[in-house]
Amino acid sequence: MSSTVVSSVYVVCSDAAGIAGNIFAFVLFLSSIPTFRRIIRNESTEMVSGMPYIYALLNCLICLWYGMPLVSPGIILVATVNSVGAIFQLIYISVFVVYAEKPMKLKMMGLLISVFATFASIVFVSMRFLDSPSRQLFVGYLSVASLISMFASPLIIIKLVIKTRSVEYMPFSLSLATFLMSLAFFVYGMFKHDAFIYIPNGIGTGLGTLQLALYAYFNDASQEELKHPLIDP
């Protein structure tokens, strides 16, 4: 009886971590809406780059495939969060293409086709040539590589914050949501004993912690500077 209770609590905690990760990821997916509202309002992509959304789409598709029962049974919450993410990225890319200049429009369409071709190749190879354990390893390593490559953006922001000694380009809400999402999926991966989930999200948790620490440090420093008079008496 006690083992059954422990098992039930274990499953509930695992699912709770996965659901929390989905919620925090949804907040991150929504964060680009103001940018695209401005694009639609101005009918121009201005200086906005579409590349992050291309990378994010490929990352979501690979991680979506990894979370599918055909590849990794029992981690469907990985598939759900990345299916929603893929839909958001596809909408953002579509809006970008509509309002981009013709050369950029053609470039983005070519990149979009390349993303789907790459994803289709991954699915074909993993289903046609690999058995179940090998398939999970193959797609798992690709998902980890894809997730780690996505950490380039937080690293650039961290470098910028240290260089400028300002948190202007690192909104607290996004830093907090990134930290909480990574932490939730790190815990989820630990519960599922899945290194392909907890290793990249452990790295993400560390980077999120560093971002929050930098925010606290440089925000306090900015507040202290504001307290000083502009002209010494």
Side-chain angles (χ1 to χ4, degrees):
M1 178 67 179
S2 60
S3 61
T4 304
V5 172
V6 171
S7 178
S8 298
V9 171
Y10 190 90
V11 170
V12 168
C13 291
S14 173
D15 289 345
I19 292 169
N22 274 249
I23 293 170
F24 294 130
F26 186 73
V27 173
L28 289 176
F29 297 148
L30 293 175
S31 65
S32 293
I33 287 180
T35 299
F36 284 87
R37 286 179 64 185
R38 189 177 75 246
I39 288 174
I40 293 171
R41 183 175 65 248
N42 297 338
E43 298 185 352
S44 171
T45 56
E46 299 173 338
M47 299 300 291
V48 176
S49 171
M51 292 305 297
Y53 305 98
I54 290 289
Y55 290 136
L57 175 61
L58 181 59
N59 173 67
C60 286
L61 290 174
I62 293 173
C63 293
L64 164 62
W65 181 232
Y66 179 72
M68 295 297 287
L70 285 170
V71 178
S72 306
I75 56 167
I76 194 65
L77 289 172
V78 171
T80 57
V81 67
N82 285 287
S83 61
V84 173
I87 291 170
F88 268 95
Q89 304 312 320
L90 194 55
I91 291 171
Y92 291 147
I93 292 169
S94 299
V95 173
F96 189 93
V97 168
V98 168
Y99 293 102
E101 297 293 331
K102 188 173 181 179
M104 180 56 68
K105 192 189 300 282
L106 294 175
K107 179 182 178 181
M108 289 294 293
M109 290 176 68
L111 288 170
L112 188 59
I113 292 170
S114 299
V115 164
F116 284 115
T118 301
F119 177 62
S121 300
I122 292 170
V123 173
F124 175 76
V125 169
S126 60
M127 293 300 297
R128 181 70 177 81
F129 299 107
L130 302 174
D131 59 14
S132 185
S134 300
R135 184 184 308 136
Q136 186 173 11
L137 285 173
F138 172 68
V139 182
Y141 279 119
L142 288 176
S143 68
V144 168
S146 176
L147 283 167
I148 290 177
S149 69
M150 295 296 290
F151 295 147
S153 180
L155 286 172
I156 291 170
I157 293 173
I158 288 170
K159 181 180 177 181
L160 184 62
V161 169
I162 294 173
K163 183 178 179 180
T164 62
R165 302 182 65 82
S166 169
V167 293
E168 179 183 356
Y169 301 103
M170 191 175 69
F172 176 77
S173 57
L174 289 184
S175 298
L176 181 61
T178 300
F179 167 74
L180 292 174
M181 181 198 71
S182 298
L183 179 61
F185 276 112
F186 170 74
V187 174
Y188 182 71
M190 293 295 289
F191 274 120
K192 295 295 184 180
H193 306 289
D194 192 324
F196 293 127
I197 299 175
Y198 68 70
I199 288 177
N201 284 289
I203 296 172
T205 302
L207 288 174
T209 303
L210 179 57
Q211 283 186 314
L212 292 175
L214 287 172
Y215 189 93
Y217 177 78
F218 287 113
N219 192 52
D220 287 346
S222 298
Q223 294 300 322
E224 285 298 322
E225 288 179 6
L226 289 174
K227 292 178 182 178
H228 295 305
L230 293 177
I231 301 175
D232 288 331

